[in-house]
């Protein structure tokens, strides 16, 4: 299968290009790691971003928040910052990210 055919079939079945899907999964994983308390610099390196600046730009484009703002607003219980309410999804966030569980890939 050529890479072009793969990309067409992937988009048809998942609703995203392969690269959009990879970016989406990286942001989902970044959210999980940030919520768990990992530092943005560690998350950036662990997810393959060139540097923290690159990670911050990508994260802000997808969520509307910087990684630090996300950590503060979504702090686990028992943290002083937990009094800040969790941020509801924004229109920008919905435009950049697909639903949490993409449709399963089927043979077409």
């Amino acid at each position: 299968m050529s890479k072009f055919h793969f990309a067409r079939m992937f988009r048809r079945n998942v609703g995203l290009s392969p690269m959009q899907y990879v970016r989406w999964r990286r942001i989902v994983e970044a959210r999980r790691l940030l919520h768990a308390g990992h530092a943005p610099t560690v998350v950036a390196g662990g997810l393959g971003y060139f540097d923290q600046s690159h990670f911050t730009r990508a994260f802000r484009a997808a969520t509307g928040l910087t990684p630090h703002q996300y950590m503060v607003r979504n702090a686990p219980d028992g943290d002083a910052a937990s009094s800040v309410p969790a941020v509801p999804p924004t229109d920008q966030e919905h435009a950049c990210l697909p639903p949490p569980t993409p449709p399963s890939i089927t043979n077409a």
Side-chain angles (χ1 to χ4, degrees), residues 50-73:
F50 181 71
D51 57 19
Q52 186 178 352
S53 173
H54 181 212
F55 169 60
T56 299
R57 284 191 310 274
F59 193 87
R60 186 180 315 155
T63 65
L65 299 169
T66 66
H68 179 73
Q69 290 169 332
Y70 181 84
M71 286 179 67
V72 168
R73 293 186 183 188

Side-chain angles (χ1 to χ4, degrees), residues 17-38:
S17 72
M19 195 63 221
Q20 287 172 324
Y21 181 80
V22 168
R23 288 182 188 127
W24 172 70
R25 289 298 308 155
R26 288 168 89 186
I27 294 299
V28 169
E29 184 65 7
R31 286 177 168 174
R32 187 186 70 76
L33 292 170
L34 291 169
H35 186 73
H38 294 279

